[in-house]
Amino acid sequence: MTGLDPAAEDLLRELAPQVVGVLTRRFGDFTAAEDAVQEALLAAALQWPAEGLPANPRGWLIQVAQRRMTEEVRSEQARRRREDRVAGQVPADQWSVPPADAEDAGGRDDTLLLLFLCCHPALSPASAIALTLRSVGGLTTGQIADAFLVPEATMGQRISRAKQRIRSSKVPFRLPEPEDWPDRLGSVLHVLYLIFNEGYATSAGPDLQRVELSREAIRLTRALHTLLPEHGEVTGLLALMLLNHARSRARTSSAGELIPLADQDRSRWDAEAIAEGVALITAALPRGPVGPYQVQAAIAAVHDEAATAEKTDWPQILALYGVLERLAPTPVVALNRVVATAMVHGPAVGLAELDALESAGRLTGGHRPAVVRGYLLELSGDAAGAAEQYRAAARHTASLPERHHLTIRAARLTR
């Protein structure tokens, strides 16, 4: 935002979802609330550098956005429709806006409420991701479009359709009932997980990772953890993100080439993030019940705590993958367990398990099975077979850095 210092920009990004939540809760119109808050953010970007930071920035934004919404409902028809909606959802003592310096009693939950709204089960994962990044993360439509390699107009339409679906669903802006929490919170965690993964290992395009997406996912998950500090899977997801993101600086060379985990310079890992992640998962696991995010975080912690690749506790990782496969029997988990098996019992045993998975139809298409087979063949000394698998995987990945890495690896084995 032009004219604002980085601290003020961070403050606006943090406050925006809270203000959207306050106005949506009062007026029952998410789309109008978000539009009004965008106007307030623009006003802040123009006025705060000249006039200074207000004593209560959140109250200032609420007041300005409230005025913007009031101007939009001046007509009698719009006012009647809004009053009917508000009367049905908001207590009478909240029909007027409090002074800008007043505290809002429910404000502390608004980020969580907004996450629940943006991650509504009626939305597809792609729509929920886009809407979450736009409304909760504060990214512009252009920034989101760039991250997912689509035109800005396409992303704008996706976000608009998501808002329309939420509006037509008539879902009241409130926390789900207790019996609905597992599914609704599960949707929120899944969307945050997808956002992080797209940043950590970009699915397509010239970049291996988009650090800004990973950081945004961590920021949002940290906010969720602040609201739900005792929830095991929220804690597990935050720990998982921190432990994986800690390796970001070591995952690429100065030329942008992919560096596998075993070859990374571990002195470049973020020790502070690792310590925080390990502390979080260590505290969460004994509380139970244990979920997939906690187990994945425990696996990441074992990797991060190893001083060298050779000192990795593979038997412990294999045991954890056994637990994870029972909780989340996905093809990716099965492939990772095969690698752990090979590291403990030898590549021949790993290859036999990989054959069994393929025979049982448990592996989907894509390049990952070929990568794993190539790696196991390389460990077993079959350089020609490994090179063939790496080349096959390179042909099927949409990530240019990964394609380049696999092609070079195959060429080295051929030589």
Side-chain angles (χ1 to χ4, degrees):
M1 296 181 180
T2 304
L4 287 173
D5 61 64
E9 287 189 17
D10 290 342
L11 178 63
L12 286 180
R13 177 170 288 188
E14 177 184 345
L15 292 177
Q18 298 180 30
V19 179
V20 172
V22 169
L23 296 181
T24 305
R25 183 159 38 79
R26 289 178 182 168
F27 291 95
D29 192 331
F30 167 65
T31 302
E34 199 203 27
D35 290 343
V37 171
Q38 291 302 314
E39 295 273 351
L41 294 175
L42 178 59
L46 295 174
Q47 296 181 36
W48 289 6
E51 301 175 6
L53 196 69
N56 182 356
R58 182 173 180 272
W60 190 96
L61 290 170
I62 291 174
Q63 188 175 66
V64 173
Q66 161 69 21
R67 188 180 303 119
R68 174 73 172 83
M69 290 190 74
T70 301
E71 292 170 354
E72 289 295 314
V73 294
R74 290 295 186 188
S75 70
E76 190 64 30
Q77 181 180 7
R79 185 184 300 114
R80 190 179 302 117
R81 183 170 63 251
R82 189 64 55 84
E83 287 172 353
D84 289 343
R85 188 179 297 124
V86 172
Q89 296 183 19
V90 182
D93 62 355
Q94 294 184 20
W95 285 4
S96 59
V97 177
D101 59 352
E103 291 295 324
D104 186 86
R108 64 183 181 276
D109 290 331
D110 284 328
T111 299
L112 177 59
L113 287 168
L114 200 58
L115 272 169
F116 271 111
L117 188 65
C118 292
C119 300
H120 191 280
L123 297 179
S124 68
S127 296
I129 287 172
L131 191 59
T132 300
L133 289 173
R134 180 72 178 86
S135 300
V136 188
L139 275 66
T140 67
T141 303
Q143 288 172 325
I144 303 170
D146 288 343
F148 290 93
L149 303 177
V150 299
E152 184 172 350
T154 300
M155 184 57 69
Q157 291 170 0
R158 183 179 299 173
I159 294 172
S160 179
R161 285 195 298 269
K163 291 179 182 178
Q164 287 298 116
R165 178 161 293 186
I166 288 177
R167 174 181 285 178
S168 62
S169 72
K170 307 294 184 185
V171 176
F173 191 67
R174 63 168 183 256
L175 284 173
E177 297 301 325
E179 61 271 19
D180 297 328
W181 264 78
D183 289 340
R184 292 293 298 275
L185 183 58
S187 297
V188 172
L189 295 177
H190 182 60
V191 166
L192 293 174
Y193 181 65
L194 292 176
I195 293 172
F196 178 83
N197 280 349
E198 183 61 29
Y200 184 74
T202 306
S203 57
D207 300 314
L208 174 66
Q209 52 190 350
R210 293 182 180 274
V211 176
E212 71 280 5
L213 275 184
S214 298
R215 287 175 178 163
E216 188 58 31
I218 291 172
R219 187 184 74 84
L220 295 177
T221 307
R222 194 183 292 281
L224 186 59
H225 180 257
T226 300
L227 296 166
L228 299 171
E230 299 302 315
H231 194 284
E233 281 292 78
V234 173
T235 304
L237 181 58
L238 178 57
L240 174 62
M241 290 180 178
L242 290 169
L243 291 165
N244 283 336
H245 187 64
R247 309 180 202 130
S248 293
R249 286 179 300 191
R251 292 180 66 224
T252 56
S253 68
S254 57
E257 295 180 352
L258 184 155
I259 301 176
L261 177 62
D263 299 331
Q264 289 173 15
D265 178 358
R266 300 188 176 211
S267 68
R268 299 188 64 200
W269 289 1
D270 187 338
E272 186 176 338
I274 292 172
E276 182 182 1
V278 169
L280 284 169
I281 193 57
T282 301
L285 285 173
R287 292 199 300 258
V290 175
Y293 295 122
Q294 294 170 73
V295 180
Q296 290 180 73
I299 293 170
V302 175
H303 279 297
D304 286 8
E305 289 184 309
T308 64
E310 293 73 23
K311 293 183 179 181
T312 302
D313 188 347
W314 282 106
Q316 185 179 358
I317 290 175
L318 178 58
L320 287 168
Y321 270 120
V323 175
L324 182 58
E325 195 165 28
R326 289 194 293 273
L327 295 171
T330 67
V332 172
V333 172
L335 282 172
N336 288 336
R337 185 183 56 77
V338 165
V339 173
T341 298
M343 300 305 292
V344 175
H345 301 295
V349 178
L351 285 165
E353 288 203 3
L354 183 58
D355 290 338
L357 288 174
E358 291 184 333
S359 298
R362 291 189 56 194
L363 300 181
T364 57
H367 70 293
R368 292 298 174 196
V371 173
V372 171
R373 185 173 292 279
Y375 179 63
L376 299 186
L377 289 171
E378 184 177 355
L379 288 179
S380 67
D382 184 355
E388 181 181 353
Q389 291 297 317
Y390 287 147
R391 283 192 291 267
R395 290 193 295 269
H396 291 92
T397 180
S399 168
L400 295 182
E402 190 167 20
R403 183 184 306 168
H404 184 60
H405 169 73
L406 291 168
T407 302
I408 291 177
R409 194 157 185 165
R412 287 172 179 166
L413 287 172
T414 302
R415 288 199 300 268

